[in-house]
Amino acid sequence: MTDAHGGGAAPACPLRFDIGGMHCAACSSRIERVTGRLPDVEKVSVNLATARAEVWPAPGDADAVRREFMAAVAKLGFTATPAVSEDAEARFAEAKAKARADRKKRLGRLWPMVILSLPLLFVSMGHMLGMPLPAWLEPHGSPRAFMLVQLGLTLPVVWLGRHFYVDGLAALFRRSPNMDSLVAVGTGAAFLYSLVNTVLGLMGNDPSWRAMNLYYESCAVLLTMIEFGQFLEATAKQRAGDAMGALMSLAPETALRLASPDATPDEVPLSAVEVGDLLLVRPGGRVPVDGTVEQGVSAVDLSLLTGESIPVPVAPGDSLTAGSVNGEGPLVMRAVAVGGNTRLARIVRLVQEAQGSKAPIARLADRVSYYFVPAVMALATLSALCWLVFSAEPITTALTVFVAVLVMACPCAMGLATPMSVMVGTGRGAQLGVLIKNGAALERAGKVTALAVDKTGTLTTGRPELTEVIPLTPAVADLGERELLALAASLEGRSEHPLGLAIIRAGKERDCPICEVEEARIAPGLGIEGRVRLDGQPWAVAVGSAAYMGTRGLEPSAEVAARLDALAGEGQTPLLMAVAPAEAGAEQPGEQMAAIFALADSLRPESVAVVKRLRGMGVSVVMLTGDNARTAAAVAKLAGIDEVAAGLLPAEKADYVRRLQEEGHVVGMVGDGLNDAPALALADVGMAVGTGVDVSAEAGDIVLMRGGMEAVLAALELSRATMRNIRENLGWAFGYNILGLPVAAGLLHVFGGPMLSPMIGGVAMALSSFSVVSNALRLRFFKVKGSGA
């Protein structure tokens, strides 16, 4: 789909890679910038939170681009492996296993580091806090023992934290320093300075003075605290996938397969179920795959899939969706879609793709992160030199400043600020029945100032009912009310329009015969025509709006026009029907208007409150509908909408959206994804109602899994909440560094204040990433204001 929201469209099928070895935003930014300059690559997006890269190759040999990208990433010191598994469940399980293994590995390093660092703190600083050391360990009486014990406790901690040095120094030598580089240089400087003093002290060079100028505890405690912070971050990241895990768990692991409707069920793995199989769904059980009801009557709960709390009644012929929960009646169903083709599987794929995408606001953090680590190293060196050259402070002050500045900086928090919020926000949206396709759509939705909505299924229930059949042409003597309805219902069986479905339901309820239909043709937004055979007699039948009849050269009489106006004024939608006897080969039969079908689509109970809430958010609501002006005005008045455009064809809806954009609005469009596809594609944010339409709803940026304005409100409020969360995260990440780095450089000490201990800087650094991730996790509890969702 062409990107209508700014910028050129990227190629449709990106290459996906799992990236190994990234530790902070400087890593992901470096990969993006370097590989983005490859001659055969048009665009690269690297997501730190999901450790995945998407590469859009230029037209040509994709395999060559794949090899070129992997080689470029390897030169930077990272690994890039093609994401071979596109199965959503397998990818999720793999990511979950990696996260669990990473957390376990960090915990295995952390607890011995803590056990060693605590006595080291007591030995190095206890005497300063009034906790006396034994005589054999006292620094003034036994300086050599004091130094050796600290060295003995520090060496295992350095060994356990060696990954900081291996990764950080390697990145530094490749001229692409990252967060580990800051840690390695800072703690390494403290350790080496202390080790030199220890060696000189052991050799008898003023051992008492040198014993009092050791930084072993800074090195060990810093490594321990940073490892602790990363352990907390890994733990919090695991929880970020809770929404995805909840979606994954909706499908049961097994199904009850039947050889015949009356046979004993055989429990089989879900992977063994094939299209066409008969399955039993017991009361309270989950529907295993998509299908249709063959036997039984019940109600299914779709709340975990769509956010809709009211169970939906089902009977033979009705559709069932994998993951929904059966009510009190047993159901026999026939499998229609299995495995990755179910609606649930498509939802999971959409959410995973969204979680791996980037919001435009992330570009700021990426740009800053790319230059951040080299800038911090330069600042640390410059600050230390200034204290050495322009002050009378001892060399230890310069070392303290150097280490404190290096460990205070935290590009990790900047890199996680956006992707973690996008990950949690899109997952929460899926739980509410709002599928947001990417981070860009999530960001734009929060900026919407004008919302164009289709009437049917959004403001109204979307389930209109036939209230009356009004025969018009006595000349068609063979067709009574029942026959007219039979012809219309059979023809509308080729359509999925809500008004057509209402006629079909009415035909079933009144036991109308099902007729053979030939050559059906749909005019989107207008009507449908075709040949229908009733009791052996072929009829040319057309059903649609007055405008549709006008295209066929049929104009309503004054009496019929008055009746149409009266129905529209009551908020009902009138459809006209034209018929003519049809003979094989006849091209233009003499059609006559035969009937009016009056249909009523009641306003959704929440529409009035939601429209009022949207106004309070500064969003103006416009109704765009193909319905006639009188009916549209009646519904709009009930809903509290002032601006209405009625009688619009699909292309005219798109023109209206363009006009709103020219007036300076950021336009959101809500439609059914079929008739409204042009307007959805043109809008800044297209919201396609996914009920009754394929859940991918290609024309939309956001898919609403249930109709109604409450789902629209949830999408807009979730977007604003997520963007607010991202701004909070970025504010914390940038603010922490802007305020912390000058203090670490000794600004307070210049005015007589204290120096910042490197250990305090290390604690703050460790907790900054954890705070960002924890703040993003608050989105798991997002609720639409005034709603229980």
Side-chain angles (χ1 to χ4, degrees):
M1 181 181 76
T2 301
D3 188 352
H5 317 298
C13 298
L15 305 174
R16 293 185 173 90
F17 299 86
D18 293 318
I19 306 297
M22 291 194 300
H23 302 291
C24 67
C27 302
S28 56
S29 296
R30 182 77 176 173
I31 295 172
E32 268 192 10
R33 283 182 175 260
V34 172
T35 59
R37 291 195 290 262
L38 294 174
D40 296 322
V41 170
E42 290 196 357
K43 178 184 172 186
V44 177
S45 176
V46 181
N47 190 303
L48 175 64
T50 59
R52 178 164 278 216
E54 290 189 334
V55 180
W56 284 264
D61 187 355
D63 289 334
V65 174
R66 187 180 287 110
R67 291 191 297 270
E68 191 179 8
F69 177 82
M70 293 168 64
V73 172
K75 285 182 181 178
L76 294 174
F78 306 97
T79 62
T81 55
V84 292
S85 175
E86 290 304 320
D87 178 72
E89 190 168 350
R91 278 167 51 189
F92 177 77
E94 182 182 347
K96 203 74 174 175
K98 282 183 179 178
R100 195 181 299 114
D102 179 54
R103 182 179 180 276
K104 183 178 180 181
K105 183 168 68 174
R106 291 188 184 281
L107 182 60
R109 290 195 298 251
L110 179 61
W111 69 264
M113 292 172 79
V114 172
I115 290 174
L116 291 164
S117 295
L118 288 176
L120 177 60
L121 268 176
F122 172 74
V123 171
S124 62
M125 305 185 73
H127 61 286
M128 301 178 190
L129 302 175
M131 294 183 287
L133 295 172
W136 65 270
L137 195 53
E138 212 278 328
H140 298 290
S142 304
R144 290 179 176 82
F146 183 76
M147 291 186 286
L148 286 173
V149 167
Q150 289 194 54
L151 176 61
L153 290 170
T154 302
L155 283 174
V157 176
V158 172
W159 174 253
L160 289 166
R162 64 189 180 280
H163 58 283
F164 290 116
Y165 300 98
V166 173
D167 297 336
L169 293 177
L172 184 61
F173 293 145
R174 286 191 300 268
R175 293 182 297 177
S176 56
N178 57 19
M179 187 199 73
D180 285 350
S181 303
L182 297 178
V183 175
V185 173
T187 59
F191 178 78
L192 290 176
Y193 176 82
S194 303
L195 184 62
V196 169
N197 273 343
T198 299
V199 172
L200 293 176
L202 292 175
M203 293 173 63
N205 187 336
D206 201 353
S208 295
W209 181 88
R210 297 194 180 279
M212 297 303 296
N213 285 278
L214 301 178
Y215 279 87
Y216 286 127
E217 81 285 350
S218 292
C219 172
V221 173
L222 279 173
L223 291 173
T224 303
M225 289 308 302
I226 294 167
E227 188 69 50
F228 177 61
Q230 292 185 350
F231 168 75
L232 291 178
E233 181 186 316
T235 303
K237 277 185 180 179
Q238 273 190 275
R239 296 170 62 192
D242 285 353
M244 181 63 74
L247 283 174
M248 292 287 188
S249 66
L250 291 183
E253 295 181 358
T254 61
L256 298 174
R257 187 162 59 189
L258 299 167
S260 68
D262 301 321
T264 302
D266 180 24
E267 187 170 9
V268 298
L270 192 61
S271 58
V273 176
E274 298 179 355
V275 173
D277 285 351
L278 283 177
L279 306 172
L280 173 66
V281 185
R282 289 172 173 156
R286 290 198 179 276
V287 177
V289 296
D290 292 354
T292 56
V293 178
E294 293 286 316
Q295 289 183 7
V297 176
S298 186
V300 294
D301 181 0
L302 290 161
S303 58
L304 289 177
L305 271 173
T306 67
E308 182 63 69
S309 59
I310 301 174
V312 178
V314 292
D318 289 333
S319 297
L320 292 174
T321 302
S324 55
V325 180
N326 186 23
E328 297 180 356
L331 295 172
V332 175
M333 65 173 290
R334 189 171 297 278
V336 172
V338 301
N341 296 319
T342 66
R343 197 179 191 204
L344 175 61
R346 294 199 298 272
I347 290 171
V348 170
R349 280 199 299 271
L350 272 177
V351 175
Q352 280 193 331
E353 288 170 8
Q355 290 184 337
S357 67
K358 280 191 174 184
I361 196 173
R363 296 188 192 118
L364 172 63
D366 288 344
R367 282 196 300 270
V368 172
S369 299
Y370 182 73
Y371 299 106
F372 184 77
V373 173
V376 168
M377 287 188 160
L379 176 63
T381 304
L382 181 62
S383 300
L385 288 174
C386 286
W387 281 103
L388 277 175
V389 175
F390 300 110
S391 78
E393 297 280 346
I395 189 175
T396 53
T397 300
L399 180 63
T400 298
V401 166
F402 181 73
V403 176
V405 170
L406 288 176
V407 300
M408 188 72 172
C410 187
C412 245
M414 286 185 282
L416 291 169
T418 299
M420 288 305 300
S421 297
V422 170
M423 180 182 292
V424 181
T426 51
R428 178 57 180 153
Q431 292 178 320
L432 296 175
V434 177
L435 302 184
I436 301 168
K437 290 189 176 181
N438 51 60
L442 180 66
E443 181 173 338
R444 286 195 304 269
K447 300 175 182 177
V448 167
T449 58
L451 186 69
V453 299
D454 189 23
K455 175 177 71 70
T456 305
T458 305
L459 290 166
T460 61
T461 59
R463 191 179 170 88
E465 300 295 336
L466 181 67
T467 59
E468 190 177 5
V469 180
I470 307 168
L472 293 179
T473 311
V476 188
D478 295 336
L479 300 178
E481 183 176 319
R482 185 168 180 271
E483 287 77 16
L484 290 168
L485 181 57
L487 289 172
S490 298
L491 182 60
E492 291 288 0
R494 303 298 178 92
S495 167
E496 290 189 358
H497 194 282
L499 296 178
L501 296 177
I503 293 176
I504 295 169
R505 286 194 301 272
K508 289 180 179 179
E509 292 166 1
R510 302 183 192 187
D511 295 324
C512 293
I514 299 174
C515 308
E516 183 182 344
V517 178
E518 302 170 356
E519 303 175 17
R521 293 180 295 277
I522 298 174
L526 290 172
I528 184 172
E529 66 170 321
R531 292 175 183 268
V532 184
R533 188 175 294 275
L534 174 65
D535 296 330
Q537 167 67 43
W539 295 90
V541 181
V543 180
S545 64
Y548 184 50
M549 294 301 159
T551 65
R552 308 178 70 81
L554 296 174
E555 295 295 335
S557 65
E559 182 182 349
V560 171
R563 192 66 181 267
L564 295 177
D565 285 344
L567 290 170
E570 296 168 5
Q572 298 193 64
T573 300
L575 292 181
L576 288 166
M577 178 182 182
V579 299
E583 299 299 334
E587 294 184 0
Q588 291 185 337
E591 293 178 330
Q592 301 177 61
M593 286 201 193
I596 298 174
F597 295 100
L599 301 111
D601 187 7
S602 58
L603 195 70
R604 286 182 178 268
E606 77 274 10
S607 290
V608 176
V610 172
V611 169
K612 184 178 180 181
R613 168 74 184 145
L614 288 169
R615 281 182 169 176
M617 294 166 61
V619 179
S620 60
V621 182
V622 183
M623 181 198 290
L624 304 184
T625 180
D627 214 337
N628 67 76
R630 292 285 299 277
T631 301
V635 173
K637 184 177 180 182
L638 290 173
I641 297 174
D642 297 326
E643 189 172 349
V644 182
L648 300 181
L649 297 175
E652 292 171 328
K653 289 185 179 182
D655 290 338
Y656 202 98
V657 167
R658 187 181 292 107
R659 197 192 86 192
L660 289 172
Q661 291 172 328
E662 289 170 354
E663 292 174 0
H665 287 290
V666 177
V667 181
M669 172 68 196
V670 186
D672 63 11
L674 183 63
N675 293 332
D676 301 318
L680 287 169
L682 184 63
D684 296 285
V685 182
M687 288 179 265
V689 179
T691 52
V693 183
D694 191 307
V695 77
S696 64
E698 290 298 334
D701 302 298
I702 296 174
V703 180
L704 307 176
M705 293 300 296
R706 54 191 169 110
M709 291 295 287
E710 203 166 49
V712 178
L713 180 62
L716 298 187
E717 284 199 352
L718 177 62
S719 171
R720 294 191 179 192
T722 304
M723 295 311 300
R724 185 164 56 248
N725 190 272
I726 288 173
R727 286 191 289 270
E728 290 168 355
N729 285 347
L730 289 174
W732 168 258
F734 285 123
Y736 160 82
N737 285 292
I738 290 170
L739 296 175
L741 287 175
V743 175
L747 182 63
L748 297 180
H749 195 57
V750 171
F751 300 99
M755 293 293 297
L756 178 72
S757 167
M759 284 184 291
I760 296 175
V763 171
M765 175 190 178
L767 295 180
S768 62
S769 295
F770 176 69
S771 67
V772 163
V773 176
S774 299
N775 188 47
L777 287 175
R778 292 191 304 114
L779 290 170
R780 295 188 306 157
F781 310 107
F782 165 82
K783 290 185 177 182
V784 182
K785 292 184 180 178
S787 168

Coordinates of all heavy atoms in Angstrom, one line a residue, residues 489-540:
A489 N -33.7 -11.4 -1.1 CA -32.9 -12.1 -0.1 C -31.9 -13.1 -0.9 O -30.7 -13.2 -0.5 CB -33.7 -12.9 0.9
S490 N -32.4 -13.7 -1.9 CA -31.5 -14.6 -2.7 C -30.4 -13.8 -3.4 O -29.2 -14.2 -3.4 CB -32.3 -15.4 -3.7 OG -33.3 -16.2 -3.1
L491 N -30.7 -12.7 -3.9 CA -29.7 -11.8 -4.6 C -28.7 -11.3 -3.6 O -27.5 -11.3 -3.8 CB -30.4 -10.7 -5.4 CG -29.5 -9.7 -6.2 CD1 -28.7 -10.5 -7.2 CD2 -30.3 -8.6 -6.8
E492 N -29.2 -10.8 -2.5 CA -28.3 -10.2 -1.5 C -27.4 -11.3 -0.8 O -26.4 -10.9 -0.2 CB -29.1 -9.5 -0.4 CG -29.9 -8.3 -0.8 CD -28.9 -7.1 -1.0 OE1 -27.7 -7.2 -0.8 OE2 -29.4 -6.0 -1.4
G493 N -27.7 -12.5 -1.1 CA -26.8 -13.6 -0.6 C -25.4 -13.5 -1.2 O -24.5 -14.1 -0.7
R494 N -25.3 -12.7 -2.3 CA -24.0 -12.6 -2.9 C -23.3 -11.3 -2.4 O -22.2 -11.0 -2.8 CB -24.2 -12.4 -4.5 CG -24.9 -13.6 -5.1 CD -24.1 -14.9 -4.9 NE -24.7 -16.0 -5.5 CZ -24.6 -16.5 -6.7 NH1 -23.8 -15.8 -7.5 NH2 -25.2 -17.5 -7.1
S495 N -23.9 -10.6 -1.4 CA -23.3 -9.4 -0.9 C -23.0 -9.6 0.6 O -23.6 -10.4 1.3 CB -24.3 -8.2 -1.1 OG -23.9 -7.1 -0.3
E496 N -22.1 -8.8 1.2 CA -21.8 -8.8 2.6 C -22.2 -7.5 3.2 O -21.8 -7.2 4.4 CB -20.3 -9.1 2.9 CG -19.9 -10.5 2.6 CD -18.5 -10.8 3.0 OE1 -17.9 -9.9 3.6 OE2 -18.1 -12.0 2.8
H497 N -22.9 -6.6 2.5 CA -23.3 -5.3 3.1 C -24.3 -5.6 4.2 O -25.2 -6.4 4.1 CB -24.0 -4.5 2.0 CG -24.1 -3.0 2.4 ND1 -25.1 -2.6 3.2 CD2 -23.3 -2.0 2.0 CE1 -24.9 -1.3 3.4 NE2 -23.9 -0.9 2.7
P498 N -24.2 -4.8 5.3 CA -25.1 -5.0 6.5 C -26.6 -4.9 6.1 O -27.4 -5.6 6.6 CB -24.7 -3.9 7.4 CG -23.3 -3.6 7.1 CD -23.2 -3.8 5.6
L499 N -27.0 -4.0 5.2 CA -28.4 -3.9 4.8 C -28.8 -5.2 4.0 O -29.9 -5.6 4.2 CB -28.6 -2.7 3.9 CG -28.3 -1.3 4.6 CD1 -28.5 -0.2 3.6 CD2 -29.2 -1.1 5.8
G500 N -27.9 -5.7 3.2 CA -28.2 -6.9 2.5 C -28.4 -8.1 3.4 O -29.3 -8.9 3.3
L501 N -27.5 -8.1 4.5 CA -27.6 -9.2 5.5 C -28.9 -9.1 6.2 O -29.5 -10.2 6.6 CB -26.4 -9.1 6.4 CG -25.1 -9.3 5.8 CD1 -24.0 -9.1 6.9 CD2 -24.9 -10.7 5.3
A502 N -29.4 -7.9 6.4 CA -30.7 -7.7 7.1 C -31.9 -8.4 6.3 O -32.8 -9.0 6.8 CB -31.0 -6.3 7.4
I503 N -31.8 -8.1 5.0 CA -32.8 -8.7 4.1 C -32.7 -10.2 4.1 O -33.7 -11.0 4.1 CB -32.7 -8.1 2.7 CG1 -33.0 -6.6 2.7 CG2 -33.5 -8.9 1.7 CD1 -32.8 -5.9 1.4
I504 N -31.5 -10.7 4.1 CA -31.3 -12.2 4.1 C -31.9 -12.8 5.4 O -32.6 -13.8 5.4 CB -29.8 -12.5 4.0 CG1 -29.2 -12.1 2.7 CG2 -29.5 -14.0 4.2 CD1 -27.7 -12.1 2.6
R505 N -31.6 -12.2 6.5 CA -32.2 -12.7 7.8 C -33.7 -12.7 7.8 O -34.3 -13.6 8.2 CB -31.6 -11.8 9.0 CG -30.2 -12.1 9.3 CD -29.9 -11.5 10.7 NE -30.1 -10.0 10.7 CZ -29.2 -9.1 10.4 NH1 -28.0 -9.5 10.0 NH2 -29.4 -7.8 10.5
A506 N -34.2 -11.6 7.2 CA -35.7 -11.5 7.2 C -36.3 -12.6 6.3 O -37.3 -13.2 6.6 CB -36.1 -10.1 6.6
G507 N -35.6 -12.9 5.2 CA -36.0 -14.0 4.3 C -36.0 -15.3 5.0 O -36.9 -16.1 4.9
K508 N -35.0 -15.6 5.9 CA -34.9 -16.8 6.6 C -36.0 -16.9 7.6 O -36.7 -17.9 7.8 CB -33.6 -17.0 7.3 CG -32.4 -17.2 6.3 CD -31.1 -17.4 7.1 CE -29.9 -17.6 6.2 NZ -28.6 -17.7 6.9
E509 N -36.2 -15.8 8.4 CA -37.3 -15.7 9.4 C -38.7 -16.0 8.9 O -39.5 -16.5 9.5 CB -37.2 -14.4 10.2 CG -35.9 -14.2 11.0 CD -35.7 -12.8 11.4 OE1 -36.6 -11.9 11.1 OE2 -34.7 -12.5 12.1
R510 N -38.9 -15.6 7.6 CA -40.2 -15.7 7.0 C -40.3 -16.9 6.1 O -41.3 -17.0 5.3 CB -40.6 -14.4 6.3 CG -40.5 -13.1 7.2 CD -40.9 -11.9 6.5 NE -40.6 -10.7 7.3 CZ -41.0 -9.5 7.0 NH1 -41.7 -9.2 5.9 NH2 -40.6 -8.4 7.7
D511 N -39.3 -17.8 6.2 CA -39.3 -19.0 5.4 C -39.5 -18.8 3.9 O -40.2 -19.6 3.2 CB -40.5 -20.0 5.9 CG -40.2 -20.4 7.3 OD1 -39.1 -20.7 7.7 OD2 -41.2 -20.5 8.1
C512 N -38.8 -17.8 3.4 CA -38.9 -17.6 2.0 C -38.0 -18.6 1.2 O -36.9 -19.0 1.8 CB -38.3 -16.2 1.6 SG -39.4 -14.8 2.2
P513 N -38.4 -19.0 0.1 CA -37.6 -20.0 -0.6 C -36.3 -19.4 -1.1 O -36.2 -18.2 -1.4 CB -38.5 -20.4 -1.8 CG -39.4 -19.2 -2.0 CD -39.6 -18.7 -0.6
I514 N -35.2 -20.3 -1.2 CA -33.9 -19.8 -1.7 C -33.9 -20.1 -3.2 O -34.1 -21.2 -3.6 CB -32.8 -20.6 -1.0 CG1 -32.8 -20.4 0.5 CG2 -31.4 -20.2 -1.5 CD1 -31.8 -21.2 1.3
C515 N -33.6 -19.0 -3.9 CA -33.6 -19.0 -5.3 C -32.2 -19.1 -5.9 O -31.2 -18.7 -5.3 CB -34.3 -17.8 -5.9 SG -36.0 -17.5 -5.1
E516 N -32.2 -19.6 -7.2 CA -30.9 -19.7 -7.9 C -30.6 -18.3 -8.4 O -31.4 -17.6 -9.0 CB -31.0 -20.7 -9.0 CG -29.8 -20.9 -9.8 CD -30.0 -21.9 -11.0 OE1 -31.0 -22.6 -11.0 OE2 -29.1 -21.9 -11.9
V517 N -29.3 -17.9 -8.3 CA -28.9 -16.6 -8.7 C -27.8 -16.7 -9.8 O -26.9 -17.6 -9.6 CB -28.3 -15.8 -7.5 CG1 -27.8 -14.4 -8.0 CG2 -29.4 -15.6 -6.4
E518 N -27.9 -15.9 -10.8 CA -26.9 -15.9 -11.9 C -26.5 -14.5 -12.2 O -27.2 -13.6 -12.0 CB -27.6 -16.5 -13.2 CG -28.1 -17.9 -13.0 CD -28.9 -18.3 -14.3 OE1 -29.1 -17.5 -15.2 OE2 -29.4 -19.5 -14.3
E519 N -25.2 -14.4 -12.6 CA -24.7 -13.1 -13.1 C -24.9 -11.9 -12.1 O -25.3 -10.8 -12.5 CB -25.3 -12.7 -14.4 CG -25.2 -13.8 -15.5 CD -25.9 -13.5 -16.8 OE1 -26.3 -12.3 -16.9 OE2 -26.1 -14.4 -17.6
A520 N -24.6 -12.2 -10.8 CA -24.8 -11.1 -9.8 C -23.6 -10.1 -10.0 O -22.5 -10.5 -10.1 CB -24.8 -11.7 -8.4
R521 N -24.0 -8.8 -10.0 CA -23.0 -7.7 -10.1 C -23.2 -6.7 -9.0 O -24.4 -6.2 -8.8 CB -23.0 -7.1 -11.4 CG -22.6 -8.0 -12.6 CD -22.6 -7.3 -13.9 NE -24.0 -7.0 -14.3 CZ -24.9 -7.8 -14.8 NH1 -24.5 -9.1 -15.1 NH2 -26.1 -7.4 -15.2
I522 N -22.2 -6.4 -8.3 CA -22.3 -5.4 -7.2 C -21.7 -4.0 -7.6 O -20.7 -3.9 -8.2 CB -21.5 -5.9 -5.9 CG1 -22.1 -7.2 -5.4 CG2 -21.5 -4.8 -4.8 CD1 -21.2 -7.8 -4.3
A523 N -22.5 -3.0 -7.3 CA -22.0 -1.6 -7.5 C -21.7 -1.0 -6.1 O -22.7 -0.7 -5.4 CB -23.1 -0.8 -8.2
P524 N -20.4 -1.0 -5.7 CA -20.1 -0.6 -4.4 C -20.7 0.7 -3.9 O -20.7 1.7 -4.7 CB -18.6 -0.5 -4.4 CG -18.2 -1.4 -5.5 CD -19.2 -1.3 -6.5
G525 N -21.4 0.7 -2.8 CA -22.0 1.9 -2.3 C -23.4 2.2 -2.9 O -24.0 3.2 -2.4
L526 N -23.8 1.4 -3.9 CA -25.1 1.7 -4.5 C -26.1 0.6 -4.4 O -27.2 0.8 -3.9 CB -24.8 2.1 -6.0 CG -24.1 3.4 -6.3 CD1 -23.7 3.5 -7.8 CD2 -24.9 4.5 -5.9
G527 N -25.7 -0.6 -4.9 CA -26.6 -1.7 -4.9 C -26.1 -2.9 -5.6 O -24.9 -3.1 -5.8
I528 N -27.0 -3.8 -5.9 CA -26.7 -5.1 -6.5 C -27.7 -5.5 -7.6 O -28.9 -5.2 -7.4 CB -26.5 -6.2 -5.5 CG1 -26.0 -7.5 -6.1 CG2 -27.8 -6.4 -4.7 CD1 -25.6 -8.6 -5.0
E529 N -27.3 -6.2 -8.6 CA -28.2 -6.6 -9.6 C -27.9 -8.1 -10.1 O -26.7 -8.5 -9.9 CB -28.2 -5.7 -10.9 CG -26.9 -5.8 -11.6 CD -27.0 -5.0 -13.0 OE1 -28.1 -5.2 -13.6 OE2 -26.0 -4.4 -13.3
G530 N -28.8 -8.8 -10.6 CA -28.6 -10.1 -11.1 C -29.8 -10.8 -11.6 O -30.9 -10.2 -11.6
R531 N -29.7 -12.0 -12.1 CA -30.8 -12.8 -12.5 C -31.1 -13.8 -11.4 O -30.3 -14.5 -11.0 CB -30.5 -13.5 -13.9 CG -30.3 -12.6 -15.0 CD -29.9 -13.4 -16.3 NE -29.7 -12.5 -17.4 CZ -30.6 -12.2 -18.3 NH1 -31.8 -12.7 -18.2 NH2 -30.3 -11.4 -19.3
V532 N -32.4 -13.9 -11.1 CA -32.8 -14.8 -10.0 C -34.0 -15.6 -10.5 O -34.9 -15.1 -11.1 CB -33.3 -14.0 -8.8 CG1 -33.7 -14.9 -7.6 CG2 -32.2 -13.0 -8.3
R533 N -33.9 -16.9 -10.3 CA -34.9 -17.8 -10.8 C -35.8 -18.3 -9.6 O -35.4 -18.9 -8.7 CB -34.2 -19.1 -11.4 CG -35.2 -20.0 -12.2 CD -34.4 -21.1 -12.9 NE -33.6 -20.6 -13.9 CZ -34.0 -20.3 -15.2 NH1 -35.3 -20.6 -15.5 NH2 -33.2 -19.9 -16.1
L534 N -37.1 -17.9 -9.7 CA -38.1 -18.2 -8.7 C -39.1 -19.1 -9.3 O -39.8 -18.7 -10.3 CB -38.7 -16.9 -8.2 CG -39.9 -17.1 -7.2 CD1 -39.4 -17.8 -5.9 CD2 -40.5 -15.7 -6.9
D535 N -39.3 -20.3 -8.8 CA -40.3 -21.3 -9.3 C -40.1 -21.5 -10.8 O -41.1 -21.6 -11.5 CB -41.7 -20.9 -9.0 CG -41.9 -20.8 -7.5 OD1 -41.3 -21.6 -6.7 OD2 -42.8 -20.0 -7.0
G536 N -38.8 -21.6 -11.2 CA -38.6 -21.8 -12.6 C -38.6 -20.6 -13.5 O -38.2 -20.7 -14.7
Q537 N -39.2 -19.5 -13.0 CA -39.3 -18.3 -13.8 C -38.0 -17.4 -13.5 O -37.8 -17.0 -12.4 CB -40.5 -17.5 -13.4 CG -40.6 -16.1 -13.9 CD -40.7 -16.0 -15.4 OE1 -41.4 -16.7 -16.1 NE2 -40.0 -15.1 -16.0
P538 N -37.3 -17.0 -14.6 CA -36.1 -16.1 -14.3 C -36.6 -14.6 -14.2 O -37.5 -14.2 -15.0 CB -35.2 -16.3 -15.6 CG -36.2 -16.7 -16.6 CD -37.3 -17.5 -16.0
W539 N -36.0 -13.9 -13.3 CA -36.3 -12.5 -13.1 C -35.0 -11.7 -13.1 O -34.0 -12.1 -12.5 CB -37.1 -12.2 -11.8 CG -38.4 -12.9 -11.7 CD1 -38.7 -14.1 -11.2 CD2 -39.7 -12.3 -12.1 NE1 -40.0 -14.3 -11.3 CE2 -40.7 -13.2 -11.8 CE3 -40.0 -11.0 -12.6 CZ2 -42.0 -13.0 -12.1 CZ3 -41.4 -10.8 -12.9 CH2 -42.4 -11.8 -12.6
A540 N -35.1 -10.5 -13.8 CA -34.0 -9.6 -13.6 C -34.3 -8.7 -12.4 O -35.3 -8.1 -12.3 CB -33.9 -8.7 -14.9

